[in-house]
Amino acid sequence: MFRPRVIPVLLLKDKGLVKTVKFKDGKYVGDPINAVRIFNNLKADELIFLDIQATKENRISSLQVIQNIGDEAFMPFSVGGGIRTIDDIKQIINAGAEKVIINTAAVETPELITEAANLFGSQSVIVSIDVKKNIFGKYKVYTKNGTKSTNLAPIKHAQNMEKLGAGEIMINSIEKDGTLSGYDIDIINQICNSVDIPVIACGGCGKYEDLTDAVKLGNASAVAAGSIFVFHGARKAVLVNYPDRELLGNLFSFFNY
């Protein structure tokens, strides 16, 4: 039975988990290992871990933390943040991650994508594209955890990453992050229609029906979200959650199984 993957995104900061709004103001939401254990019980499809300080601090995520996650996680997980070299990728995969997520280095040293795909396989390489509209309403690619604007257009960047060997693209809207206002369907659809590799939609999911919209209207291959899986209620109480199999089946019932 096929259905799109539904992937919680967990942001690492100082070895704890935080949730941001528009890539700023990280709110502490708990311990990563406790979250993994809960997602194990809830049978999450995959997990994504992004270290939001790693690029700024010129390092990769803690290998000990990755190893601890790998010891606990029953599902595949990906790790991003500060990855710049083949050795970085090798260390992260050896620590237990199935995939790496590359953002800034994909712009600054795009040849890393080809080298990584050749050594570890395209399926192990996800290129994350953070986007925001400029004052003229045009989407532009941002790097360094959303702090540095580039002149790259997301579509051309995604197409180039596919040519270089990326196995997946993750498109993340900076303006939608943590707002619970729904995905940016327009940019998701543009990226999905411009590449032949799987596209993970991220940024803005506020209700389970948004997951459906990203797939049905945006053509995403997978959907990722943060706030909806760690907060509950109008006051945003911290409560790790994930839809059960029956609900997921209902949400994506428009697929022909």
Side-chain angles (χ1 to χ4, degrees):
M1 182 176 74
F2 170 79
R3 67 163 173 77
R5 291 165 292 148
V6 177
I7 310 170
V9 178
L10 303 170
L11 305 181
L12 293 166
K13 181 180 180 183
D14 298 327
K15 299 184 182 179
L17 295 179
V18 300
K19 186 64 199 81
T20 57
V21 176
K22 298 185 179 182
F23 283 34
K24 299 176 182 178
D25 305 322
K27 175 184 176 181
Y28 179 77
V29 295
D31 176 75
I33 303 305
N34 287 338
V36 169
R37 289 170 181 159
I38 296 171
F39 283 123
N40 279 341
N41 293 333
L42 296 174
K43 297 180 171 57
D45 294 333
E46 294 182 26
L47 296 176
I48 286 174
F49 289 90
L50 301 175
D51 189 318
I52 63 174
Q53 290 182 306
T55 299
K56 179 181 178 181
E57 296 177 358
N58 197 30
R59 59 169 177 79
I60 58 174
S61 189
S62 165
L63 295 175
Q64 186 60 62
V65 170
I66 297 170
Q67 205 164 35
N68 292 343
I69 292 167
D71 289 342
E72 290 288 342
F74 294 162
M75 73 292 286
F77 69 95
S78 309
V79 173
I83 297 170
R84 294 186 178 277
T85 68
I86 288 297
D87 187 57
D88 291 341
I89 298 171
K90 187 180 298 182
Q91 289 186 76
I92 289 170
I93 289 177
N94 286 343
E98 277 74 18
K99 306 174 188 178
V100 292
I101 300 174
I102 302 173
N103 182 302
T104 299
V107 172
E108 295 180 350
T109 53
E111 62 273 13
L112 175 66
I113 304 304
T114 301
E115 192 175 356
N118 289 338
L119 286 172
F120 304 103
S122 290
Q123 78 285 345
S124 297
V125 182
I126 301 172
V127 170
S128 174
I129 303 177
D130 297 333
V131 298
K132 187 165 69 171
K133 289 181 180 178
N134 64 15
I135 58 173
F136 304 107
K138 293 186 179 296
Y139 291 104
K140 292 296 180 181
V141 175
Y142 278 68
T143 59
K144 299 186 184 297
N145 195 33
T147 62
K148 182 179 179 181
S149 175
T150 74
N151 288 321
L152 289 173
I155 290 175
K156 289 186 177 180
H157 184 44
Q159 290 173 330
N160 190 39
M161 292 301 103
E162 180 180 24
K163 289 176 184 176
L164 291 176
E168 290 184 84
I169 298 292
M170 183 166 80
I171 184 73
N172 195 359
S173 168
I174 296 171
E175 293 168 304
K176 288 281 191 174
D177 172 61
T179 64
L180 301 171
S181 60
Y183 292 100
D184 187 330
I185 300 298
D186 183 30
I187 189 60
I188 294 167
N189 193 50
Q190 287 184 43
I191 297 296
C192 290
N193 289 336
S194 68
V195 298
D196 292 322
I197 56 177
V199 175
I200 305 168
C202 189
C205 182
K207 56 186 184 299
Y208 288 153
E209 289 75 17
D210 292 335
L211 303 172
T212 305
D213 288 344
V215 176
K216 197 169 186 178
L217 304 178
N219 293 313
S221 306
V223 282
S227 295
I228 193 174
F229 296 135
V230 296
F231 293 134
H232 176 73
R235 298 192 180 188
K236 292 187 177 180
V238 176
L239 177 66
V240 176
N241 67 96
Y242 188 83
D244 62 32
R245 298 293 171 179
E246 182 178 359
L247 177 53
L248 287 172
N250 291 335
L251 286 171
F252 298 110
S253 60
F254 54 87
F255 275 90
N256 292 318
Y257 296 140

